[in-house]
Amino acid sequence: PFNSDFGPVNLSGVVQFCQFLQAKMADKRLAKRHLVYYCDAETAHVTNTAFLLGTYLVLVEKWTAEEAAKPFETISPSPFKPYRDVTSVRSTFDLQLVDCLRG
């Protein structure tokens, strides 16, 4: 990335993910099954996967940002990478998962 910037998935990606997950959750063939969504262990991928799952909970299931972030906050050590703006110097303000879910 340019100057070590790292941000959450864009709004189009969020909408597509929520529609995908809504379709899976509404599929009657899957009604008695567990839905598992996973990614590889790369920190950026883990962070954005949690972000997408959290946005689904906030936008579709109407959870608060804090409720949606809580299951992820119990993971120790934290596998998440803070989001940061484009800068060529050390970041002085990192955004955490719950900050983005509040947005």
Side-chain angles (χ1 to χ4, degrees):
F2 178 72
N3 281 334
S4 300
D5 65 320
F6 174 59
V9 177
N10 66 40
L11 191 53
S12 173
V14 168
V15 170
Q16 288 176 14
F17 180 79
C18 287
Q19 290 172 339
F20 166 79
L21 202 50
Q22 274 185 294
K24 294 294 182 191
M25 298 295 280
D27 189 335
K28 297 206 184 317
R29 298 171 297 166
L30 304 174
K32 296 188 180 201
R33 295 181 180 233
H34 292 281
L35 182 60
V36 177
Y37 190 80
Y38 64 94
C39 68
D40 61 41
E42 184 179 329
T43 306
H45 295 167
V46 172
T47 303
N48 279 328
T49 297
F51 172 74
L52 286 170
L53 292 168
T55 56
Y56 173 83
L57 293 172
V58 170
L59 297 173
V60 178
E61 299 296 331
K62 305 303 182 199
W63 289 24
T64 66
E66 289 72 21
E67 290 169 332
K70 189 171 184 171
F72 302 110
E73 291 170 351
T74 62
I75 301 171
S76 181
S78 176
F80 306 114
K81 176 180 182 177
Y83 295 114
R84 56 169 289 163
D85 200 1
V86 177
T87 180
S88 58
V89 297
R90 191 171 86 79
S91 178
T92 59
F93 184 77
D94 292 335
L95 286 172
Q96 304 303 320
L97 176 63
V98 70
D99 297 320
C100 294
L101 295 177
R102 287 178 185 137

